[in-house]
Short mmCIF file of all heavy atoms in Angstrom, two decimals:
data_model
loop_
_atom_site.label_atom_id
_atom_site.label_comp_id
_atom_site.label_asym_id
_atom_site.label_seq_id
_atom_site.Cartn_x
_atom_site.Cartn_y
_atom_site.Cartn_z
N ARG A 1 117.81 66.85 93.33
CA ARG A 1 119.09 67.22 93.94
C ARG A 1 119.91 65.96 94.15
O ARG A 1 119.36 64.90 94.43
CB ARG A 1 118.87 67.89 95.30
CG ARG A 1 118.07 69.16 95.24
CD ARG A 1 119.00 70.33 95.12
NE ARG A 1 118.24 71.56 95.30
CZ ARG A 1 118.30 72.55 94.44
NH1 ARG A 1 119.07 72.48 93.41
NH2 ARG A 1 117.59 73.63 94.64
N PRO A 2 121.22 66.09 94.08
CA PRO A 2 122.05 64.90 94.31
C PRO A 2 121.95 64.38 95.75
O PRO A 2 121.99 63.18 95.98
CB PRO A 2 123.47 65.37 94.02
CG PRO A 2 123.40 66.81 93.72
CD PRO A 2 121.97 67.23 93.70
N GLU A 3 121.78 65.27 96.71
CA GLU A 3 121.68 64.84 98.10
C GLU A 3 120.26 64.33 98.38
O GLU A 3 119.34 64.61 97.65
CB GLU A 3 122.04 65.98 99.07
CG GLU A 3 121.09 67.15 99.04
CD GLU A 3 121.40 68.17 97.96
OE1 GLU A 3 122.31 67.99 97.17
OE2 GLU A 3 120.66 69.18 97.93
N SER A 4 120.10 63.58 99.42
CA SER A 4 118.81 63.01 99.78
C SER A 4 117.89 64.09 100.33
O SER A 4 118.21 64.76 101.29
CB SER A 4 119.02 61.91 100.83
OG SER A 4 117.77 61.42 101.25
N VAL A 5 116.74 64.24 99.69
CA VAL A 5 115.73 65.20 100.15
C VAL A 5 114.49 64.41 100.49
O VAL A 5 114.02 63.60 99.70
CB VAL A 5 115.42 66.24 99.05
CG1 VAL A 5 114.32 67.18 99.50
CG2 VAL A 5 116.66 67.01 98.67
N LYS A 6 113.95 64.66 101.68
CA LYS A 6 112.76 63.93 102.10
C LYS A 6 111.52 64.78 101.85
O LYS A 6 111.59 65.99 101.77
CB LYS A 6 112.86 63.58 103.58
CG LYS A 6 114.03 62.67 103.83
CD LYS A 6 114.11 62.24 105.25
CE LYS A 6 115.38 61.44 105.35
NZ LYS A 6 115.49 60.49 106.31
N GLY A 7 110.40 64.12 101.72
CA GLY A 7 109.14 64.81 101.53
C GLY A 7 108.37 64.19 100.38
O GLY A 7 108.91 63.41 99.60
N THR A 8 107.11 64.56 100.29
CA THR A 8 106.24 63.98 99.27
C THR A 8 106.03 64.89 98.07
O THR A 8 105.48 64.47 97.07
CB THR A 8 104.86 63.66 99.87
OG1 THR A 8 104.28 64.88 100.34
CG2 THR A 8 104.95 62.65 100.98
N GLY A 9 106.43 66.15 98.20
CA GLY A 9 106.18 67.08 97.11
C GLY A 9 104.77 67.64 97.13
O GLY A 9 104.26 68.08 96.11
N LEU A 10 104.14 67.63 98.29
CA LEU A 10 102.76 68.13 98.39
C LEU A 10 102.65 69.48 99.09
O LEU A 10 101.65 70.18 98.92
CB LEU A 10 101.88 67.12 99.14
CG LEU A 10 101.50 65.89 98.35
CD1 LEU A 10 100.74 64.91 99.25
CD2 LEU A 10 100.65 66.26 97.16
N GLY A 11 103.63 69.87 99.88
CA GLY A 11 103.52 71.07 100.71
C GLY A 11 103.20 72.34 99.94
O GLY A 11 102.27 73.07 100.30
N LEU A 12 103.95 72.62 98.89
CA LEU A 12 103.70 73.85 98.13
C LEU A 12 102.41 73.76 97.32
O LEU A 12 101.73 74.77 97.11
CB LEU A 12 104.88 74.19 97.23
CG LEU A 12 106.13 74.68 97.97
CD1 LEU A 12 107.29 74.87 96.99
CD2 LEU A 12 105.85 75.98 98.72
N SER A 13 102.06 72.57 96.88
CA SER A 13 100.80 72.39 96.15
C SER A 13 99.61 72.67 97.06
O SER A 13 98.66 73.36 96.67
CB SER A 13 100.72 70.96 95.61
OG SER A 13 99.48 70.75 94.98
N ILE A 14 99.66 72.15 98.28
CA ILE A 14 98.59 72.41 99.25
C ILE A 14 98.54 73.89 99.59
O ILE A 14 97.46 74.49 99.64
CB ILE A 14 98.80 71.55 100.52
CG1 ILE A 14 98.57 70.07 100.19
CG2 ILE A 14 97.88 72.01 101.66
CD1 ILE A 14 99.00 69.11 101.27
N SER A 15 99.70 74.49 99.80
CA SER A 15 99.76 75.93 100.10
C SER A 15 99.14 76.74 98.98
O SER A 15 98.38 77.68 99.22
CB SER A 15 101.21 76.37 100.32
OG SER A 15 101.77 75.69 101.42
N LYS A 16 99.46 76.39 97.74
CA LYS A 16 98.91 77.11 96.59
C LYS A 16 97.38 77.01 96.57
O LYS A 16 96.69 78.00 96.33
CB LYS A 16 99.48 76.55 95.29
CG LYS A 16 98.97 77.26 94.06
CD LYS A 16 99.59 76.69 92.80
CE LYS A 16 99.02 77.41 91.60
NZ LYS A 16 99.51 76.87 90.34
N GLY A 17 96.86 75.82 96.84
CA GLY A 17 95.40 75.65 96.86
C GLY A 17 94.73 76.51 97.91
O GLY A 17 93.70 77.14 97.65
N ILE A 18 95.31 76.58 99.09
CA ILE A 18 94.74 77.39 100.17
C ILE A 18 94.81 78.87 99.83
O ILE A 18 93.83 79.61 99.98
CB ILE A 18 95.47 77.10 101.50
CG1 ILE A 18 95.16 75.67 101.96
CG2 ILE A 18 95.09 78.11 102.57
CD1 ILE A 18 96.04 75.18 103.09
N VAL A 19 95.97 79.32 99.36
CA VAL A 19 96.15 80.74 99.02
C VAL A 19 95.20 81.15 97.91
O VAL A 19 94.54 82.19 97.99
CB VAL A 19 97.62 81.02 98.65
CG1 VAL A 19 97.78 82.40 98.04
CG2 VAL A 19 98.53 80.87 99.86
N GLU A 20 95.10 80.34 96.86
CA GLU A 20 94.21 80.69 95.75
C GLU A 20 92.74 80.62 96.14
O GLU A 20 91.92 81.38 95.61
CB GLU A 20 94.50 79.80 94.55
CG GLU A 20 95.84 80.15 93.91
CD GLU A 20 96.19 79.29 92.71
OE1 GLU A 20 95.51 78.26 92.46
OE2 GLU A 20 97.16 79.64 92.02
N ALA A 21 92.38 79.78 97.09
CA ALA A 21 91.00 79.72 97.58
C ALA A 21 90.61 81.03 98.27
O ALA A 21 89.44 81.38 98.34
CB ALA A 21 90.82 78.55 98.54
N HIS A 22 91.61 81.75 98.75
CA HIS A 22 91.40 83.04 99.40
C HIS A 22 91.71 84.20 98.46
O HIS A 22 91.96 85.32 98.91
CB HIS A 22 92.23 83.13 100.68
CG HIS A 22 91.76 82.18 101.74
ND1 HIS A 22 90.67 82.43 102.54
CD2 HIS A 22 92.21 80.95 102.10
CE1 HIS A 22 90.48 81.42 103.36
NE2 HIS A 22 91.39 80.50 103.11
N HIS A 23 91.72 83.93 97.16
CA HIS A 23 91.93 84.93 96.11
C HIS A 23 93.30 85.59 96.20
O HIS A 23 93.46 86.75 95.84
CB HIS A 23 90.82 85.99 96.12
CG HIS A 23 89.46 85.37 96.06
ND1 HIS A 23 88.96 84.80 94.91
CD2 HIS A 23 88.52 85.19 97.01
CE1 HIS A 23 87.77 84.31 95.16
NE2 HIS A 23 87.47 84.53 96.42
N GLY A 24 94.26 84.84 96.66
CA GLY A 24 95.63 85.35 96.75
C GLY A 24 96.51 84.72 95.70
O GLY A 24 96.06 84.00 94.81
N SER A 25 97.80 85.00 95.82
CA SER A 25 98.77 84.40 94.90
C SER A 25 100.00 83.96 95.70
O SER A 25 100.27 84.47 96.78
CB SER A 25 99.16 85.39 93.80
OG SER A 25 99.78 86.53 94.36
N ILE A 26 100.70 83.00 95.14
CA ILE A 26 101.90 82.47 95.76
C ILE A 26 102.92 82.23 94.65
O ILE A 26 102.55 81.78 93.56
CB ILE A 26 101.60 81.17 96.56
CG1 ILE A 26 102.83 80.68 97.30
CG2 ILE A 26 101.00 80.11 95.68
CD1 ILE A 26 102.55 79.53 98.28
N TYR A 27 104.15 82.58 94.90
CA TYR A 27 105.19 82.33 93.92
C TYR A 27 106.54 82.20 94.62
O TYR A 27 106.69 82.57 95.79
CB TYR A 27 105.23 83.43 92.85
CG TYR A 27 105.49 84.82 93.36
CD1 TYR A 27 106.79 85.32 93.43
CD2 TYR A 27 104.45 85.65 93.75
CE1 TYR A 27 107.03 86.62 93.89
CE2 TYR A 27 104.68 86.93 94.21
CZ TYR A 27 105.97 87.41 94.27
OH TYR A 27 106.21 88.68 94.73
N ALA A 28 107.49 81.65 93.90
CA ALA A 28 108.83 81.45 94.42
C ALA A 28 109.79 82.38 93.69
O ALA A 28 109.60 82.68 92.51
CB ALA A 28 109.26 80.00 94.21
N ARG A 29 110.80 82.81 94.41
CA ARG A 29 111.89 83.58 93.78
C ARG A 29 113.18 83.25 94.51
O ARG A 29 113.19 83.01 95.71
CB ARG A 29 111.61 85.07 93.76
CG ARG A 29 111.54 85.75 95.11
CD ARG A 29 111.32 87.26 94.93
NE ARG A 29 111.08 87.89 96.20
CZ ARG A 29 112.02 88.33 97.03
NH1 ARG A 29 113.29 88.20 96.71
NH2 ARG A 29 111.71 88.89 98.17
N ASN A 30 114.25 83.22 93.76
CA ASN A 30 115.55 82.92 94.35
C ASN A 30 116.18 84.17 94.92
O ASN A 30 116.04 85.26 94.37
CB ASN A 30 116.48 82.29 93.31
CG ASN A 30 116.12 80.86 93.03
OD1 ASN A 30 115.67 80.14 93.90
ND2 ASN A 30 116.29 80.44 91.78
N ARG A 31 116.86 83.99 96.03
CA ARG A 31 117.60 85.09 96.65
C ARG A 31 118.94 85.25 95.95
O ARG A 31 119.49 84.29 95.41
CB ARG A 31 117.82 84.78 98.13
CG ARG A 31 116.53 84.73 98.91
CD ARG A 31 116.71 84.25 100.30
NE ARG A 31 118.03 84.59 100.83
CZ ARG A 31 118.38 84.51 102.09
NH1 ARG A 31 117.51 84.10 102.97
NH2 ARG A 31 119.58 84.82 102.49
N VAL A 32 119.48 86.45 95.97
CA VAL A 32 120.75 86.75 95.31
C VAL A 32 121.87 85.89 95.87
O VAL A 32 122.70 85.35 95.14
CB VAL A 32 121.09 88.24 95.45
CG1 VAL A 32 122.47 88.54 94.88
CG2 VAL A 32 120.03 89.10 94.77
N ASN A 33 121.93 85.71 97.18
CA ASN A 33 123.02 84.98 97.82
C ASN A 33 122.70 83.51 98.07
O ASN A 33 123.33 82.86 98.89
CB ASN A 33 123.40 85.65 99.14
CG ASN A 33 123.98 87.03 98.92
OD1 ASN A 33 124.71 87.23 97.96
ND2 ASN A 33 123.64 87.96 99.77
N GLY A 34 121.69 82.99 97.40
CA GLY A 34 121.34 81.58 97.55
C GLY A 34 120.07 81.40 98.35
O GLY A 34 119.68 82.25 99.14
N GLY A 35 119.42 80.31 98.11
CA GLY A 35 118.17 80.02 98.80
C GLY A 35 116.98 80.53 98.03
O GLY A 35 117.11 81.21 97.01
N THR A 36 115.82 80.20 98.51
CA THR A 36 114.56 80.56 97.85
C THR A 36 113.62 81.20 98.84
O THR A 36 113.58 80.83 100.00
CB THR A 36 113.90 79.30 97.25
OG1 THR A 36 114.80 78.71 96.32
CG2 THR A 36 112.59 79.62 96.56
#
């Protein structure tokens, strides 16, 4: 993104690992009016 975004890029990766360890699934989808 052009604006400054903070973070390491690990949050969703860690979440995916936890969810999949419990035989679940995780995915992203965009909202019609913006946002995810």
Side-chain angles (χ1 to χ4, degrees):
R1 299 267 190 231
E3 65 275 3
S4 176
V5 177
K6 298 184 185 206
T8 61
L10 285 174
L12 288 175
S13 176
I14 291 169
S15 298
K16 181 179 178 183
I18 292 168
V19 169
E20 289 180 349
H22 292 281
H23 307 287
S25 62
I26 184 171
Y27 60 92
R29 65 177 172 86
N30 285 326
R31 295 172 29 167
V32 175
N33 295 323
T36 301

